[in-house]
Amino acid sequence: MGEAVEIFYPNGFSKICNGTTKNQPPVDETHQFDSWYEEEIDEDLKWSFALKSVLYKGSSEYQDIALLDTKRFGKVLVIDGKMQSAEVDEFIYHECLIHPALLFHSNPKTVFVMGGGEGSAAREALRHKFIDEVVMCDIDEEVVNFCRRYLTVNRDAFCNKKLNLVINDAKAELEKRTEKFDIIVGDLADPVEGGPCYQLYTKSFYEKILKPKLNENGIFVTQAGPAGIFTHKEVFSSIYHTIRQVFKYVLAYTAHVPSFADTWGWVMASDQPFSIGAEETDKRIAERVDGELLYLNGSSFLSSATMNKTVYLSLLNETHVYTEENARFIPGHGLGNHL
């Protein structure tokens, strides 16, 4: 979501936020209670909320990084000017990303997560009792180390013996691996111009690299960007249509994420049909998942896969296929735009 992080002060003048730079300690929380974080959702629409402090602001080799402490949403991770997750409601995004694929699979043992540097996707996958290994592959070691340090909710996941953390480009990592996986997850940053991830939303990547690394009954799931009534055509419908060119069975589903100020979308795909209902989904949650899910159950998932008429027709009639030469982007910036 949005453009560069800005802080607005009581005198009405805006400034780019002056949080800590790389390797410096966090800013004293008592100093910025009258500050606001602002994202530009579109050229005529902005979204802002009050800050307690800027805990960190810096840049890695690949991305701009900020960690904000907000009054409404708690700690908020912002990468390349875009909200990635917020402390109080990230469970919505990550439960929707991880659990449907693992629950619809008959007996998942291995998971490969593309991206997911903050650790939340791995955390949710590791809640499944019968998982043998979760490989989390993120290109940006600095983001991973940053999240291990500051996002304390995921510390147990990072220490779990079933987690295999790999610092590499997900495309290169999948290409060189000989084993196949039951589940492959795309927990990637949104496709923004100049960002590092848009090539991992293309038909050629899905067809030539990702799908061959799935086991016969394997399932692929990816986050697919904003899916609201006004935003679903940015990338959601295109990602859905692109995946339909590669897999026999493709299911789109959505949920409202308050800190994103929008409905969000995911796409799940396989060459095997998705055939379990709400009752069986709830049964599998009870049998397989440690602890209580906060958002997802069988009925809510079935509901989330029912699109309103406008979005349904857009998915039905979409013709754009993601290629490296013909990509769609959502508002935002990648570090490459500054070079």
Side-chain angles (χ1 to χ4, degrees), residues 22-244:
K22 186 165 63 175
N23 301 324
Q24 287 183 337
V27 173
D28 185 341
E29 292 189 6
T30 63
H31 289 163
Q32 296 186 19
F33 273 78
D34 293 323
S35 301
W36 289 76
Y37 166 75
E38 182 178 281
E39 286 191 15
E40 183 177 304
I41 297 173
D42 210 333
E43 61 183 13
D44 61 349
L45 183 63
K46 294 182 178 181
W47 160 246
S48 62
F49 41 88
L51 286 179
K52 292 182 180 178
S53 66
V54 177
L55 298 174
Y56 179 95
K57 183 176 182 287
S59 295
S60 71
E61 180 182 354
Y62 301 100
Q63 301 165 113
D64 294 330
I65 313 163
L67 184 66
L68 314 177
D69 191 7
T70 72
K71 293 185 179 181
R72 176 62 61 95
F73 297 115
K75 291 179 182 177
V76 168
L77 178 65
V78 178
I79 292 179
D80 279 345
K82 292 174 51 56
M83 170 90 75
Q84 298 299 306
S85 69
E87 188 175 21
V88 302
D89 66 2
E90 57 86 7
F91 67 90
I92 301 172
Y93 171 93
H94 289 105
E95 286 188 14
C96 289
L97 175 68
I98 295 297
H99 296 294
L102 271 75
L103 294 168
F104 274 69
H105 194 286
S106 59
N107 187 28
K109 295 294 184 181
T110 55
V111 179
F112 187 96
V113 180
M114 302 186 297
E118 70 179 89
S120 298
R123 179 197 70 211
E124 292 300 316
L126 289 165
R127 295 178 66 183
H128 284 250
K129 302 172 187 177
F130 307 116
I131 288 293
D132 292 333
E133 182 185 32
V134 175
V135 178
M136 187 182 91
C137 180
D138 198 286
I139 196 172
D140 199 330
E141 185 172 15
E142 187 166 334
V143 168
V144 173
N145 290 337
F146 170 81
C147 291
R148 292 178 75 163
R149 178 181 178 185
Y150 287 110
L151 302 184
T152 56
V153 68
N154 295 330
R155 281 183 179 167
D156 288 345
F158 278 113
C159 295
N160 194 302
K161 294 180 180 180
K162 293 181 179 181
L163 178 66
N164 179 7
L165 175 59
V166 177
I167 304 300
N168 197 5
D169 173 73
K171 178 180 177 181
E173 186 66 24
L174 281 174
E175 280 184 306
K176 78 175 187 179
R177 284 183 172 258
T178 57
E179 76 269 38
K180 295 186 178 184
F181 298 89
D182 295 320
I183 309 289
I184 296 180
V185 179
D187 188 19
L188 301 163
D190 298 316
V192 295
E193 195 163 9
C197 291
Y198 80 91
Q199 295 180 16
L200 303 185
Y201 291 95
T202 61
K203 180 186 176 185
S204 62
F205 172 70
Y206 294 147
E207 191 170 50
K208 297 176 182 178
I209 297 174
L210 186 148
K211 188 176 181 180
K213 298 302 182 181
L214 280 171
N215 286 321
E216 184 177 355
N217 61 340
I219 297 175
F220 168 57
V221 62
T222 184
Q223 80 88 14
I229 196 77
F230 298 124
T231 56
H232 66 277
K233 290 184 179 181
E234 289 177 355
V235 295
F236 177 59
S237 60
S238 181
I239 292 171
Y240 170 79
H241 183 68
T242 302
I243 293 173
R244 286 188 67 193

Side-chain angles (χ1 to χ4, degrees), residues 15-26:
K15 300 180 181 179
I16 298 298
C17 61
N18 294 315
T20 60
T21 56
K22 186 165 63 175
N23 301 324
Q24 287 183 337

Side-chain angles (χ1 to χ4, degrees), residues 253-268:
Y253 56 100
T254 65
H256 180 69
V257 181
S259 62
F260 289 176
D262 207 345
T263 300
W264 213 252
W266 299 264
V267 178
M268 185 166 66

